[in-house]
Amino acid sequence: MSTLRNKVQLIGNLGNNPEIITLDSGKKLAKFSIATNESYKNASGEKVTDTQWHNVVAWNKTAEIIERYLEKGNEVAVEGKLTSRSYETKEGEKKYITEVVANEVLMLGGK
């Protein structure tokens, strides 16, 4: 059961082309966002779609595959864990971010 302690699975569409960063060590980092949609009917019976955006990061071999095959609009399944971190802007403002660190990325849809 310990493998289920911090596990996230999402299916959504890339909101932008992945940003690929190659570190000085040679390791690759892929950063992208995916949108997940949930639809429901409100009290008036109208269909409402709620879109949530998720920041995703992937490292090494997974990042290389993402660099080669994924682009804006692609539907993907992502499995990973949630991480939170903070950073300071150039203006000295503290910002917080929650990301999914992807272990696996599965390309969905046809091509």
Side-chain angles (χ1 to χ4, degrees):
M1 267 314 241
S2 65
T3 58
L4 296 178
R5 293 195 190 277
N6 184 0
K7 186 173 186 175
V8 175
Q9 294 178 324
L10 298 168
I11 295 176
N13 295 85
L14 269 72
N16 51 15
N17 287 327
E19 176 186 355
I20 307 298
I21 300 167
T22 303
L23 304 177
D24 292 339
S25 64
K27 289 184 176 183
K28 285 208 174 186
L29 168 64
K31 298 168 90 175
F32 58 97
S33 61
I34 64 170
T36 57
N37 295 311
E38 180 181 0
S39 296
Y40 61 92
K41 290 192 178 181
N42 64 15
S44 306
E46 301 165 320
K47 183 180 176 183
V48 177
T49 301
D50 180 37
T51 301
Q52 296 291 318
W53 287 93
H54 311 275
N55 295 314
V56 181
V57 296
W59 292 92
N60 302 322
K61 200 69 167 167
T62 305
E64 291 174 19
I65 292 167
I66 289 167
E67 178 181 31
R68 191 172 302 146
Y69 297 107
L70 293 186
E71 59 186 28
K72 179 179 179 175
N74 288 149
E75 185 178 29
V76 294
V78 173
E79 181 180 284
K81 66 180 181 176
L82 281 179
T83 60
S84 296
R85 61 184 174 87
S86 62
Y87 64 94
E88 204 168 290
T89 65
K90 292 176 185 174
E91 295 78 29
E93 184 181 357
K94 194 162 191 170
K95 297 277 189 171
Y96 298 90
I97 188 167
T98 299
E99 300 169 313
V100 176
V101 178
N103 298 328
E104 286 188 51
V105 176
L106 178 64
M107 295 168 272
L108 303 174
K111 238 191 181 185

